[in-house]
Amino acid sequence: MIKPIELVIFDCDGVLVDSERIAVRVQVALGAELGWPLAEDEVIRRFIGRSTASIGEQVAARLGEETAGVWRTRFEELHREAVDTGLLPVDGIREALDAITLPTCVASSGSHDKMRHTLGRTGLYEHFEGRIHSATEVARGKPAPDLFLYAARRMGVDPAACVVVEDSRPGVEAARAAGMRAFGYAGGLTPAELLEGPDTVVFHDMRKLPSLLAEQ
C-alpha cells in the first residue's frame, strides 16, 4: 500500500532557482579556458545534478588535481557573479509553494553557502530556512540515496512517505534508490526521457505540482 505523502523534498538548482542555465554556461566557458572543450549537452549529462566533489573528480581525472582546484575556484567566482546579475526563481515555483500545504524541505548537491546565496537572491531562503540539507553533509552525492535519506531522517519522516522534486537524472535516480517517489521537472534543461522511470511522474509546468501531489 502506498503511504500518504508526509514530506516534499525539493532539489534547489533547476527546481527552485533557475541556476542550471547559468552553471552550464560557466562550465562551458571554464572548459574552453582550462583545456577541456565541452558542449552544453555534455555538461548537462556529466555535471547537472552532481555534487561539487563529483564534478571535481571528473575534472581531476581529465586535467589533474591542480587544474581541478583552479576549476572549482573559478566556477565559484563566475557563478556567484552571474547569480548576482541575473538569477530568477524557476517559473511558477512561487505559485506552487504557496499552494502546497504539506511539509517541505530542500536537499541539494550544492553547499549551504551556495544555497544561502541563490535562495537568498530569489527571496526563497526564508521559506525553507532551518530545513535545508546539502550533499556536503553525507558520504555520497546523487545518484546515491544518502542525501535524501539524510533529509528524511532529519525531518523525522519515513522515506516511503517522502516525494522528491528533481530536474536531473542523478536526482531522480537518487530518489528511487532512497525508496521515495519522484517528480521529474522537465521544464528546464534535462530532457523528459532522461527523467522517466519507475515511481516517477514527469511534468513540465511547476504550477501543476500541487495538483499532481494531491493525486498521489
Side-chain angles (χ1 to χ4, degrees), residues 3 9 11 13 35 39 51 71 74 77 93 100 115-116 137 144 151 159 175 187-188 208:
K3 285 196 170 188
I9 303 174
D11 176 41
D13 295 299
S51 67
W71 188 300
R74 291 280 292 138
E77 293 171 351
I93 190 61
I100 293 170
M115 286 186 279
R116 269 192 293 271
E137 299 171 86
K208 295 183 178 179

Side-chain angles (χ1 to χ4, degrees), residues 80 128 181:
R80 177 173 286 270
F128 293 102
R181 286 161 280 176

Side-chain angles (χ1 to χ4, degrees), residues 140-164:
R140 300 176 300 168
K142 306 168 190 177
D146 301 30
L147 176 59
F148 292 142
L149 292 173
Y150 173 74
R153 186 167 65 250
R154 288 289 303 272
M155 297 293 291
V157 177
D158 184 338
C162 298
V163 297
V164 175

